[in-house]
Amino acid sequence: MTRLLLTGNAAAAWGARLADVDYIPAFPITPQTEIIETLGGWIDDGAMEGRMVTLESEHSMITAAGAAAATGVRVFSATSSQGLLHAMEMLYTVAGWRAPFVLVNVSRGLSAPITLGADHNDVLAARDCGFLQIHCADCQEVLDSVLLAYRMAEDPAIRLPVLVNLDGFHLSFTREPVALPEPAAVRQFLPPFDAQGIRFTASAPESQAVAVLGGRPYSYFRYENHLAALKAVEIYQQVATEFSSLFQRQWDAVESYRSDDAEIVFYMMGSFATTARAAVDCLRDAGQNIGLVRPRLLRPFPGAAIAELLAGKLGVIVIDQNLSMGLGGVLYHELIASMYGRAAAPEVITSFIGGLGGRDISAEEFYEMVNVTRQAIATGDIPPPRLLYTENELREIRKLQAIAQVERAETSPAVQPNDQVNDQGVPRD
């Protein structure tokens, strides 16, 4: 086994290389571009077989990926942020085609305003499109998840595309030691794609057209997609167990960290969960029974596993690195819905919005969230969802706003005393 110091982007590229992908339709966007640059360099140098084609947009890129996968070849692609949204129409389409391939998304906050920092609004906007979703917390998990994703996507009982998500900059450009599986072992875990009769050759063309359907047959096919996605909960765990036996790394659908005897647990996903683990350790050292539960598989939603891990807890602290405008955090509301009516559901579930646009979540904020939740447990008064934000940050923002107002006033044309103005003081023409 070889260990290399890899960024999250390089780890994703290594996952595609070890999977022996045949076709890579690509379009660059920050902070994903390093993935396709790395793959392109390997192909140019002869270190990797396969064909890369740069398309004119993410919409065309996903169209090409779905079309190629429908012919029975193994396909890989990657995108980020606005690029994922530009592809949104085709995400639904290729999932409806039951085209099995892997798409890596390097999460980045959506405009406006524009940011290069990570949050999860881009990937969560795609949660209902039919792609399965795996969310990663470190670079090793990125590489391994690409391999797991192909096993799920190509399983005859599923045959759906899979999206593997990593946080932009926090993972995409962070270097960590990553163990590279031996290619022979990977081929044992992930043999060549068996398309089971799906093929396309120029000498024997075959139409795979999609018909225009009415409501009754349309409902049937959409529900069949849903049932296939549900099967992925069980199949994912089987695949993860097989992966563990070969590579000694276990990636369960839901991560549990020191949560068995915990009174209160953090519930979150993505790279900030590594900061949460450190906070859990510090709180444990201080005598507090705190743990962490992290959904790795978000679609399909592993509700039974999550409910089992949270059963009997006094409190759950949900930290959303996203914001559904007018509602709140997506993870919070999905967790509330999934826990409704279950026996031994947690007494208190509190909601916090943090990490938008890549803003850090400090150790002190983890400690304060525990204090707030303990107070809610003691009083029964659950606070409304709140944004993680300090007084100093708010003071700095207001200072910038005040400076901007002064600058606008200095550059605006002044109204002269002899100007004619209306009752509101606005100059007349």
Side-chain angles (χ1 to χ4, degrees):
M1 180 180 65
T2 304
R3 281 188 174 271
L4 296 177
L5 199 61
L6 298 178
T7 64
N9 279 343
W14 265 107
R17 175 174 170 172
L18 288 166
D20 289 330
V21 297
D22 301 299
Y23 180 57
I24 306 166
F27 189 85
I29 182 172
T30 301
Q32 166 272 127
T33 306
E34 184 189 12
I35 298 176
I36 60 172
E37 287 177 339
T38 302
L39 292 169
W42 285 334
I43 292 172
D44 287 346
D45 294 341
M48 176 182 173
E49 295 182 354
R51 182 181 181 189
M52 173 179 282
V53 177
T54 303
L55 280 300
E56 74 276 10
S57 72
E58 291 86 356
H59 186 282
S60 299
M61 179 186 83
I62 298 300
T63 304
T71 69
V73 300
R74 184 168 285 163
V75 179
F76 175 86
S77 192
T79 190
S80 178
S81 191
Q82 273 75 230
L84 186 68
L85 296 196
H86 192 49
M88 188 66 73
E89 176 191 359
M90 294 312 299
L91 297 183
Y92 280 81
T93 299
V94 299
W97 291 349
R98 305 291 290 272
F101 67 94
V102 173
L103 173 68
V104 167
N105 183 68
V106 184
S107 271
R108 175 184 136 199
L110 299 169
S111 64
I114 294 175
T115 181
L116 296 179
D119 63 39
H120 298 151
N121 272 101
D122 58 350
V123 67
L124 291 179
R127 70 188 185 277
D128 300 327
C129 69
F131 274 64
L132 309 183
Q133 286 195 15
I134 302 173
H135 289 255
C136 304
D138 60 45
C139 296
Q140 182 71 64
E141 191 175 353
V142 171
L143 188 155
D144 294 348
S145 293
V146 171
L147 303 177
L148 289 164
Y150 276 110
R151 276 291 300 272
M152 276 210 303
E154 296 171 2
D155 190 288
I158 299 177
R159 291 298 168 97
L160 287 169
V162 181
L163 191 156
V164 176
N165 195 77
L166 63 141
D167 292 344
F169 293 90
H170 293 289
L171 279 190
S172 64
F173 298 136
T174 295
R175 295 183 185 274
E176 296 177 340
V178 174
L180 295 184
E182 292 298 326
V186 173
R187 284 191 289 271
Q188 181 182 347
F189 173 76
L190 183 64
F193 177 29
D194 181 3
Q196 297 187 334
I198 298 174
R199 58 180 172 76
F200 182 86
T201 60
S203 59
E206 180 180 337
S207 173
Q208 296 187 41
V210 178
V212 178
L213 301 177
R216 280 178 292 182
Y218 176 86
S219 298
Y220 173 83
F221 283 106
R222 293 299 292 174
Y223 200 69
E224 284 290 302
N225 277 34
H226 169 66
L227 294 177
L230 289 178
K231 291 176 185 175
V233 174
E234 178 184 356
I235 291 173
Y236 176 88
Q237 205 59 45
Q238 294 172 359
V239 169
T241 300
E242 183 182 341
F243 187 92
S244 177
S245 68
L246 284 169
F247 304 109
Q248 290 71 56
R249 291 188 294 276
Q250 181 71 39
W251 303 112
D252 292 329
V254 186
E255 176 193 1
S256 172
Y257 182 73
R258 305 187 75 169
S259 67
D260 290 346
D261 64 339
E263 298 175 331
I264 297 173
V265 299
F266 296 110
Y267 179 87
M268 63 190 305
M269 66 184 188
S271 60
F272 278 133
T274 59
T275 310
R277 288 191 209 124
V280 166
D281 291 340
C282 290
L283 288 160
R284 286 277 180 166
D285 291 342
Q288 299 202 50
N289 289 339
I290 308 297
L292 167 69
V293 170
R294 175 174 70 96
R296 179 176 289 112
L297 185 66
L298 189 70
R299 283 296 184 273
F301 187 76
I306 290 171
E308 182 178 351
L309 290 170
L310 298 183
K313 305 304 181 190
L314 296 179
V316 177
I317 301 166
V318 182
I319 306 173
D320 271 287
Q321 202 178 339
N322 68 84
L323 182 57
S324 179
M325 300 297 181
L327 179 66
V330 172
L331 295 187
Y332 171 74
H333 286 92
E334 288 199 347
L335 181 63
I336 290 286
S338 70
M339 297 301 299
Y340 179 79
R342 291 185 184 269
E347 296 182 17
V348 169
I349 302 179
T350 54
S351 173
F352 297 87
I353 311 296
L356 299 182
R359 178 198 177 273
D360 192 21
I361 303 176
S362 67
E364 290 75 17
E365 286 174 316
F366 282 103
Y367 308 153
E368 182 59 25
M369 285 185 275
V370 172
N371 292 336
V372 170
T373 303
R374 286 200 182 280
Q375 180 70 15
I377 293 168
T379 64
D381 184 13
I382 300 176
R386 62 182 65 182
L387 175 70
L388 296 177
Y389 214 67
T390 66
E391 282 189 32
N392 286 339
E393 287 175 314
L394 186 60
R395 195 175 295 117
E396 287 299 317
I397 289 293
R398 287 176 174 168
K399 185 185 299 183
L400 291 173
Q401 288 176 326
I403 293 172
Q405 288 175 346
V406 170
E407 290 177 346
R408 282 197 298 269
E410 290 175 349
T411 57
S412 298
V415 177
Q416 299 301 319
N418 59 351
D419 285 341
Q420 290 187 331
V421 298
N422 62 17
D423 293 339
Q424 286 75 42
V426 177
R428 297 191 180 95
D429 293 336

